[in-house]
Amino acid sequence: MAERAAFSEIGVVEGFYGRVWSEAEREAFLAGLSAVVAAGGTPSPANTYLYAPKGEPALGAQLLEPLDKATAARLHRLHHLCERHGLALWAGLHLEPPFDPAQRPHLTALVRKGLQLTQAGVTGIAVLFDDLPGARSALPVDPFHGSLARAQAHAVTTLQQGVDKRVGGVRWVVCPGRYTLDAALERTSGTFEPDYLAHLHEALPPDLPWLWTGPQVCSREVTLDDLADYQAAAGGAAERPILLWDNYPVNDGAMAGRLHLAPLTGRAPDLPRGVRGYLFNPLLQPHLGVLPGASCLAYARDPAGYDPGLAWRAALGALLPPELHEAVTELAALTRTSDGPGGAAIAVAGVTGHLPERLARTWDALTRGDPIEPYVLIDFRRIMNQLQQGLPESLRAEATPWLGRLWRALRLFESAAAGAPQEVLGPLRAEFAEWHEEGPLPQVLGPWFP
């Protein structure tokens, strides 16, 4: 395994499902990250922005159509925005149906799209097979003999050769369909062909980097042992460059009800020894997402010296006035989940959200008829008032769904503490039972409202 002191590529992969950010939102996100870095007095470690939202038609659903003028102009503006922040713009092409690498017109359209992207300012192209069917459909005549891996490799090499023949210096990276060994992936993609990764590795140039999300789709921890397991599944591809596509703090799809604000944890300090690059997939809320996103960049800058508590305090100090730091820390604690990369981060390294544990004890006391902890509900209301009145409008608007439910949680606590009758508490309990089923804050408020 090649020794590396640091990651080579560091930055963002805008690769989430759902609504695509507006240009203003993307600009605000990058400006926020730059503000945190500038406040620390060190150069930004970020050098790459991979633009690959699943909702961008030109990169997926309209892959075979020429790049229209409006999209090309948008990409030009994104290129200039990235330049201002010291980032190279990459774009991700999602080779989803109806694209078929056995069809020569499809390959011709793919090369045309790649060339048009470079003309719009894109300097790197990611070929993405994530979340597509894990096996190739049976065809009467198939030059790849039913092998999905060989069909995908043919598409990649045709695209790369077609673009490189006319444009020099383009960076290339591939996201295999099996971008993790997580068994959960087969629930969406189906069963992969036997030895899919090994076949893909054999058919692609050995120096072509792959994107990998770690041992899970959304990995709680990522270590060099996890990387070794993945490389072994690819036939011992130890020397193929790997870039980590870190699915934290993203909250798309089934995670849309979660708010991942806590700083990143669980990434090994020696990861650059085997992983060449680090790109994080951001929170869907671009203004709030600067807080956890800044911690991802802090880790990527110095994995061995990374401290999630220091990263959290640095982001708070750069973005918010001191009087809001406690309240935002409590918001992160109240909305964290215990099964994600930031699950424990808000309670380590001097960054502590006290309200969840205090409220849990208070609810237990209320249900037993015991005296409750003095001032806990006063503190809860104080924190909520600070968030409601002090948060900048952009952050408050993005946090509104969670703030609304926390206000209702406060009402339930206060009503129970005041001895409210069952006809008042019953509907509130039912609301929180439904809330728990929907998924928001599942490990935090859910157990209190069975």
Side-chain angles (χ1 to χ4, degrees):
M1 183 176 293
E3 295 284 339
R4 298 186 186 90
F7 295 120
S8 298
E9 292 88 11
I10 295 174
V12 178
V13 49
E14 186 184 328
F16 47 75
Y17 287 89
R19 183 183 67 84
V20 179
W21 282 349
S22 69
E23 293 181 70
E25 288 173 323
R26 196 172 295 109
E27 185 167 3
F29 175 68
L30 290 178
L33 291 179
S34 293
V36 175
V37 171
T42 58
S44 174
N47 54 27
T48 304
Y49 195 95
L50 172 50
Y51 179 68
K54 296 301 191 291
E56 173 57 79
L59 303 179
Q62 298 175 7
L63 180 71
L64 301 178
E65 301 177 21
L67 196 66
D68 62 77
K69 291 182 178 180
T71 303
R74 257 193 312 112
L75 287 173
H76 267 295
R77 292 192 295 272
L78 179 54
H79 164 69
H80 291 305
L81 173 65
C82 287
E83 272 194 330
R84 292 199 298 274
H85 291 278
L87 305 171
L89 174 60
W90 296 5
L93 291 172
H94 199 231
L95 271 56
E96 60 192 62
F99 175 79
D100 181 356
Q103 302 293 323
R104 184 176 295 276
H106 289 195
L107 294 171
T108 299
L110 181 64
V111 172
R112 177 185 61 199
K113 180 62 66 71
L115 290 169
Q116 290 175 325
L117 290 175
T118 65
Q119 293 164 3
V122 170
T123 61
I125 295 177
V127 188
L128 309 177
F129 299 108
D130 54 314
D131 304 332
L132 297 177
R136 184 166 170 78
S137 301
L139 299 172
V141 179
D142 185 0
F144 311 110
H145 306 288
S147 171
L148 177 68
R150 292 189 171 92
Q152 291 177 344
H154 180 66
V156 172
T157 53
T158 301
L159 172 61
Q160 185 177 14
Q161 292 169 4
V163 171
D164 286 350
K165 184 168 60 177
R166 301 187 186 183
V167 181
V170 176
R171 305 289 298 276
W172 293 93
V173 64
V174 171
C175 182
R178 196 171 231 330
Y179 51 84
T180 175
L181 300 184
D182 189 351
L185 185 59
E186 294 198 347
R187 290 200 290 267
T188 55
S189 295
T191 302
F192 284 85
E193 68 181 63
D195 299 319
Y196 164 83
L197 286 173
H199 291 156
L200 189 66
H201 171 60
E202 292 169 0
L204 288 174
D207 60 345
L208 182 60
W210 283 4
L211 290 161
W212 169 63
T213 65
Q216 286 96 36
V217 176
C218 299
S219 296
R220 182 175 177 81
E221 296 182 345
V222 184
T223 69
L224 290 177
D225 287 342
D226 298 322
L227 175 63
D229 291 342
Y230 187 71
Q231 291 169 327
E239 296 307 315
R240 179 175 295 282
I242 296 291
L243 278 65
L244 180 63
W245 173 317
D246 198 342
N247 275 324
Y248 186 80
V250 71
N251 58 339
D252 59 352
M255 300 183 292
R258 300 185 178 187
L259 189 64
H260 301 149
L261 291 182
L264 178 73
T265 59
R267 305 300 178 255
D270 58 352
L271 211 56
R273 286 180 48 214
V275 175
R276 194 179 86 177
Y278 176 90
L279 306 176
F280 74 89
N281 201 0
L283 198 72
L284 267 62
Q285 293 74 21
H287 299 88
L288 287 171
V290 174
L291 287 164
S295 75
C296 295
L297 291 186
Y299 164 75
R301 177 196 295 112
D302 182 14
Y306 173 66
D307 181 321
L310 292 178
W312 177 254
R313 289 192 292 272
L316 287 178
L319 300 172
L320 295 167
E323 58 269 21
L324 279 177
H325 292 187
E326 178 195 10
V328 174
T329 298
E330 294 292 1
L331 177 62
L334 286 163
T335 58
R336 77 179 186 270
T337 56
S338 61
D339 59 347
I346 210 66
V348 301
V351 180
T352 304
H354 299 283
L355 269 177
E357 290 184 1
R358 294 176 67 199
L359 291 174
R361 291 195 300 268
T362 299
W363 184 255
D364 288 342
L366 287 170
T367 56
R368 293 192 304 265
D370 295 341
I372 66 172
E373 179 184 340
Y375 306 116
V376 61
L377 298 186
I378 294 174
D379 285 345
F380 192 3
R381 179 166 285 278
R382 174 179 59 83
I383 291 296
M384 292 304 299
N385 282 331
Q386 288 177 339
L387 291 169
Q388 192 68 38
Q389 298 168 15
L391 278 179
E393 173 58 29
S394 57
L395 275 69
R396 186 170 64 251
E398 291 178 352
T400 290
W402 292 273
L403 293 178
R405 284 174 167 177
L406 288 172
W407 276 116
R408 293 195 288 277
L410 176 59
R411 179 184 168 204
L412 176 56
F413 272 97
E414 291 178 336
S415 297
Q422 182 59 34
E423 55 265 27
V424 173
L425 295 180
L428 288 170
R429 289 176 186 269
E431 177 184 352
F432 277 92
E434 180 181 355
W435 180 10
H436 180 44
E437 289 300 319
E438 291 175 1
L441 324 189
Q443 282 78 30
V444 183
L445 294 183
W448 309 340
F449 311 105

